[in-house]
Amino acid sequence: MNLNYDDVANKWNEVFKNSAQDVPKSPLTGVEVFDKGLSWCCSNADTVLDFGCGSGTMLFLCALNGVKHNIGIDISSEAVRKADIKKVQIKNADFKFITGGIEKLELIESASMDAVILSNTIDNLYPEDAERLMEHVYRILKNKGRVFIKLNPFITEEDIKKYKLKKADGYLLDDGLPLWNNTNEQWSIFFEKRFKIYKYDEIIYKQYNLCNRLYLLEK
């Protein structure tokens, strides 16, 4: 199995090359479940890390929720470049954006973060890398630290056939962007190896007719 993410990084570089440079003006997005989940994650948090941060939107929302120190890591150099341009628009908070993958988490001190965000990220990793990621998340979080995890919807066998999606191995789909297509039960078992599940909910994006899965975890 090819575990190289270079093609993924190149795809996201193309996406972010022409992306907008505006930043959120309010901590509220208008999606209630999302907003409440992020507010819970940021509550009393001084330091937050977003792995798979893209051009920084989640961290800018964290700053608007009162977080002072924000670190983002993304494999897309173009996304990080855009995040660095945009961050000057957010006052009363500092930001550090890093280009790279899981190896960059080794730069983060143990028990140094109040919260971690994984937004449509962990299920786009190969399973062995998802394990490595969660090991690092557990290591860098302080005691009682919080994790905000947003996942893509589960794709049924019927839809896999309908859209002719490529199965790489078991529950892993790979059409250029890996998708670890676990059920809710499988994800719960995976997360509970290291964390307590504080809450599970579903985020409905009506304008896109899309549902994302939300897990809020505590160390």
Side-chain angles (χ1 to χ4, degrees):
M1 186 183 299
N2 179 16
L3 302 186
N4 191 316
Y5 293 94
D6 288 348
D7 289 345
V8 176
N10 289 335
K11 286 184 178 183
W12 284 114
N13 281 339
E14 288 301 314
V15 169
F16 284 107
K17 185 179 295 184
N18 298 311
S19 64
Q21 296 186 15
D22 54 321
V23 299
K25 306 299 183 185
S26 166
L28 300 178
T29 67
V31 182
E32 185 177 4
V33 172
F34 175 95
D35 291 340
K36 286 184 176 180
L38 191 62
S39 176
W40 173 85
C41 187
C42 294
S43 178
N44 298 317
D46 188 55
T47 56
V48 172
L49 181 137
D50 182 3
F51 183 82
C53 65
S55 60
T57 298
M58 291 291 288
L59 288 179
F60 300 143
L61 288 169
C62 288
L64 293 169
N65 271 283
V67 178
K68 297 299 183 184
H69 308 293
N70 303 268
I71 300 174
I73 299 174
D74 202 280
I75 61 171
S76 168
S77 58
E78 190 63 28
V80 168
R81 186 184 73 83
K82 281 291 178 69
D84 277 329
I85 292 172
K86 293 161 68 173
K87 69 184 182 183
V88 297
Q89 300 179 58
I90 301 290
K91 309 302 180 183
N92 302 317
D94 58 71
F95 302 90
K96 181 179 182 180
F97 293 104
I98 302 167
T99 301
I102 294 171
E103 75 284 352
K104 296 299 183 180
L105 291 169
E106 296 172 6
L107 303 174
I108 309 299
E109 293 183 9
S110 298
S112 63
M113 308 304 300
D114 295 305
V116 171
I117 294 170
L118 306 172
S119 182
N120 299 103
T121 298
I122 192 168
D123 51 341
N124 288 133
L125 297 176
Y126 294 104
E128 47 267 63
D129 288 330
E131 284 280 3
R132 288 175 57 213
L133 174 59
M134 293 308 286
E135 288 174 3
H136 276 295
V137 170
Y138 186 86
R139 177 186 63 81
I140 68 178
L141 271 176
K142 299 176 182 178
N143 189 35
K144 303 295 184 183
R146 297 177 172 184
V147 190
F148 176 104
I149 299 180
K150 188 157 73 75
L151 301 170
N152 293 289
F154 176 72
I155 302 176
T156 64
E157 193 67 32
E158 180 182 354
D159 281 342
I160 289 172
K161 293 177 181 178
K162 178 180 178 181
Y163 297 109
K164 298 179 181 180
L165 301 177
K166 180 182 175 183
K167 274 191 173 183
D169 183 30
Y171 288 91
L172 180 67
L173 307 179
D174 194 348
D175 281 315
L177 181 66
L179 177 65
W180 197 15
N181 188 41
N182 284 339
T183 64
N184 288 357
E185 181 180 4
Q186 289 169 318
W187 278 120
S188 293
I189 292 170
F190 178 75
F191 295 141
E192 286 180 325
K193 287 192 290 186
R194 298 179 180 88
F195 297 93
K196 170 188 173 184
I197 297 176
Y198 170 78
K199 188 176 184 180
Y200 170 81
D201 213 329
E202 294 183 347
I203 302 171
I204 307 298
Y205 296 99
K206 294 181 180 179
Q207 67 271 41
Y208 305 115
N209 193 28
L210 178 67
C211 172
N212 273 191
R213 297 175 283 179
L214 176 64
Y215 282 87
L216 303 178
L217 311 181
E218 286 184 313
K219 181 175 177 179

